[in-house]
Amino acid sequence: EVQLVQSGAEVKKPGESLRISCKGSGYSFTSYWISWVRQMPGKGLEWMGRIDPSDSYTNYSPSFQGHVTISADKSISTAYLQWSSLKASDTAMYYCARHHCGGDCQPFDYWGQGTLVTVSS
Amino acid sequence: QSVLTQPPSASGTPGQRVTISCSGSSSNIGSNTVNWYQQLPGTAPKLLIYSNNQRPSGVPDRFSGSKSGTSASLAISGLQSEDEADYYCAAWDDSLNGPYVVFGGGTKLTVL
């Protein structure tokens, strides 16, 4: 069974750093990209960026470039989303999702359960 | 402001047919396929329609999708109370330094 299991909810203060994780199982982790999607409270879905776990190639949405870092450790089938200095506006639910990219990129067929990040002083 | 444009809300009574539109541009819907996601309250999104009109295994045939030019639509026939959810269209966008995924702003479907 394909699963993406994300790390638990986090409560942080502005300026703190954070790394959340997404562990894949039930499939070949290096055969699918992992994307991260933000959902702010009461708002819609926003694509942040993606990583190819086979070689850690990444590309980011212009809206998130420079604000977050996406990485992966293929030896433990885990992708990460990281902030070096959180802001209150980073408060949101964050989802990881897998997709295949060959000639064309395919849809997000499996999603993680989400990680709620709350940033408050 | 989302790249893809959806109506913020839609509604219908049980048994009715409702449609949700999604408008984009030549760099996204015009040149790539459209996917639809359903997000039930308090849950992660789920793939509902892919490649414009394909249903993943387990999705009822009450759900259908179509695309024409730079627009797409999702139709739900035989509306049921459990269809009350947020629906998002999405497409890959071939803009500079992409590809990127772009989402619609979401449509909240209410079953009256």
Side-chain angles (χ1 to χ4, degrees):
Chain A
E1 178 195 8
V2 174
Q3 284 191 308
L4 293 174
V5 178
Q6 298 185 227
S7 49
E10 301 274 1
V11 179
K12 291 289 191 179
K13 290 181 167 44
E16 292 186 330
S17 63
L18 175 64
R19 189 178 76 168
I20 62 175
S21 66
C22 169
K23 183 173 177 60
S25 63
Y27 71 100
S28 173
F29 188 67
T30 54
S31 296
Y32 289 81
W33 294 63
I34 295 287
S35 276
W36 287 94
V37 175
R38 183 176 79 174
Q39 188 168 37
M40 299 178 76
K43 302 298 183 182
L45 305 174
E46 300 174 271
W47 184 76
M48 302 175 72
R50 61 176 182 151
I51 186 165
D52 179 351
S54 68
D55 61 6
S56 288
Y57 174 82
T58 55
N59 77 288
Y60 295 88
S61 163
S63 300
F64 293 93
Q65 179 85 49
H67 297 290
V68 296
T69 301
I70 296 172
S71 60
D73 184 341
K74 62 184 179 182
S75 70
I76 54 172
S77 301
T78 301
Y80 302 99
L81 179 64
Q82 181 174 330
W83 295 261
S84 60
S85 181
L86 286 160
K87 304 175 184 177
S89 57
D90 293 317
T91 294
M93 182 72 82
Y94 293 88
Y95 295 100
C96 63
R98 78 161 201 180
H99 54 97
H100 183 67
C101 286
D104 296 320
C105 284
Q106 301 303 309
F108 303 151
D109 59 354
Y110 284 90
W111 294 66
Q113 83 277 19
T115 296
L116 181 62
V117 174
T118 304
V119 184
S120 174
S121 54
Chain B
Q1 190 81 355
S2 301
V3 174
L4 304 182
T5 302
Q6 297 180 237
S9 63
S11 63
T13 57
Q16 266 191 332
R17 182 177 188 270
V18 297
T19 61
I20 297 171
S21 62
C22 175
S23 178
S25 69
S26 58
S27 64
N28 41 68
I29 294 179
S31 51
N32 293 293
T33 60
V34 177
N35 307 306
W36 291 88
Y37 298 92
Q38 178 193 57
Q39 187 175 33
L40 296 169
T43 69
K46 165 193 161 186
L47 180 62
L48 188 68
I49 296 286
Y50 68 97
S51 296
N52 303 327
N53 55 17
Q54 303 298 303
R55 287 185 307 277
S57 174
V59 173
D61 60 7
R62 302 186 295 104
F63 295 91
S64 62
S66 64
K67 174 187 138 175
S68 178
T70 58
S71 295
S73 63
L74 171 71
I76 309 171
S77 60
L79 199 61
Q80 299 180 4
S81 57
E82 55 261 41
D83 298 333
E84 192 159 285
D86 294 324
Y87 293 85
Y88 296 90
C89 59
W92 288 90
D93 190 304
D94 297 327
S95 299
L96 197 63
N97 297 326
Y100 308 124
V101 172
V102 289
F103 285 101
T107 298
K108 184 175 186 61
L109 176 63
T110 301
V111 181
L112 302 169

